[in-house]
Amino acid sequence: GLPGSAQLSLVSGVTGTIPADGTVQTYNANAPGESIYLKFAAKTADNLELVLSNASVTGAYSDGFTVNVYNHVGVQVASTWCYPNSPSGNCNLHLWYMAADTYSVTVTPIYGGTLHFDTLIQPNVVGTPVAMNGTENVSLGMAQVERFTFNANVGDTVALQVSGVTTMPAGQAIQFLVYRPDAGAITVYTPAYSNFSPSDGQLVNLPNLPVSGTYTVVAIPAFGLPGNAQFRLVPGVTGGVPPGSPAQTYNANAPGENVYLNFTANTGDNLEFVLSNMSVVGAYSDGFIVSVYNHVGAQVAST
């Protein structure tokens, strides 16, 4: 109940509608601490990317802000913390397998300050199926994510080779998520069968695939940045080595690819396993490992 004085100002709010077609829009708050309220529409099963770029929070003692997405009844469907010191001041949200609805987006400075950002929403790019030994050239703009597929049978061994990764600005990674054919509708909560994020190049071995059907690969540049890469589906190298059989020759099909062999032993067998005439072409150091496992995957020997 003390004597007091203050100044109350009525500040216009900042609202807008974001078309889901990649159109860039710019928003500026009118006062420190003010949130910005946006809307967008999604159709059934849409896979969308929401990116805020060139973000700044002027006058804040710490420049973080939050982005929260709600459906029409106010249920939160996505959320993230963002920081303008990320590459290009970018912050991104995956909005996958959406229900048809009009959604609201609230962008709020966490520590005060006046918000500024550009924003856009884009649907995922649908790439072509990749055949064995085939390639997919990944070329993505801001807020673009690509989905492509490959077919395989249960028990197949393949390798996924990614090369030529570049981003703008440089030095960031592109994440590759691989989903099984029986994964169902792919949402941000669907567990990936394999997950790797090269910033240059990488090969990932996928031995003894668990099911037959169409595998989905999702390519996601970090922070929603523009990015480029080349993806190649490489056949796996497998074989059987019967004890006492003549020497067999094996050649990997790509740098970093494993070779997978099987043999059968009888109780009490004493065996010698030898690799000869070895080379590792193109490696910066030419060592390799040999590991032997029983039928349940327990390692019984290694060198």
Side-chain angles (χ1 to χ4, degrees):
L2 299 172
S5 62
Q7 185 179 71
L8 173 67
S9 299
L10 182 62
V11 181
S12 59
V14 181
T15 62
T17 300
I18 318 170
D21 61 2
T23 301
V24 179
Q25 299 186 348
T26 300
Y27 293 95
N28 295 285
N30 294 314
E34 184 179 40
S35 296
I36 295 177
Y37 301 91
L38 308 174
K39 292 184 180 295
F40 69 91
K43 302 185 293 295
T44 300
D46 270 356
N47 297 304
L48 305 174
E49 304 299 315
L50 170 63
V51 168
L52 283 70
S53 61
N54 300 314
S56 64
V57 191
T58 305
Y61 69 88
S62 183
D63 59 3
F65 60 97
T66 60
V67 182
N68 294 286
V69 181
Y70 305 91
N71 65 13
H72 76 283
V73 296
V75 176
Q76 188 180 81
V77 297
S79 178
T80 191
W81 285 48
C82 304
Y83 296 91
N85 61 1
S86 66
S88 294
N90 272 26
C91 178
N92 63 318
L93 271 171
H94 308 310
L95 304 170
W96 293 353
Y97 200 69
M98 301 291 282
D101 203 346
T102 297
Y103 294 85
S104 61
V105 181
T106 302
V107 186
T108 303
I110 304 169
Y111 307 104
T114 304
L115 271 170
H116 160 85
F117 57 85
D118 301 331
T119 188
L120 71 158
I121 293 178
Q122 291 215 68
N124 287 184
V125 176
V126 179
T128 56
V130 181
M132 190 62 68
N133 274 319
T135 60
E136 176 75 3
N137 292 314
V138 178
S139 182
L140 301 173
M142 182 78 75
Q144 285 189 320
V145 163
E146 183 174 354
R147 295 170 179 239
F148 47 92
T149 59
F150 67 89
N151 292 316
N153 297 313
V154 61
D156 282 354
T157 292
V158 301
L160 311 182
Q161 184 182 27
V162 173
S163 59
V165 174
T166 60
T167 58
M168 186 181 300
Q172 301 301 312
I174 297 181
Q175 183 181 36
F176 289 83
L177 299 171
V178 183
Y179 295 93
R180 293 164 47 135
D182 55 356
I186 297 172
T187 73
V188 294
Y189 304 107
T190 304
Y193 177 66
S194 182
N195 177 359
F196 58 105
S197 300
S199 57
D200 182 12
Q202 186 176 351
L203 182 140
V204 171
N205 294 279
L206 299 180
N208 193 26
L209 290 173
V211 290
S212 299
T214 300
Y215 289 76
T216 300
V217 182
V218 185
I220 309 171
F223 301 103
L225 297 171
N228 297 279
Q230 187 177 74
F231 174 93
R232 179 182 171 218
L233 181 64
V234 181
V237 182
T238 62
V241 191
S245 65
Q248 300 183 8
T249 300
Y250 293 95
N251 295 285
N253 294 313
E257 186 177 40
N258 294 344
V259 175
Y260 299 90
L261 308 174
N262 292 306
F263 68 90
T264 299
N266 300 309
T267 300
D269 275 356
N270 297 302
L271 304 174
E272 304 300 318
F273 180 56
V274 171
L275 284 72
S276 60
N277 299 317
M278 304 166 294
S279 64
V280 190
V281 179
Y284 66 89
S285 182
D286 60 1
F288 61 96
I289 59 172
V290 182
S291 297
V292 181
Y293 304 90
N294 66 15
H295 77 285
V296 296
Q299 189 179 81
V300 297
S302 180
T303 190

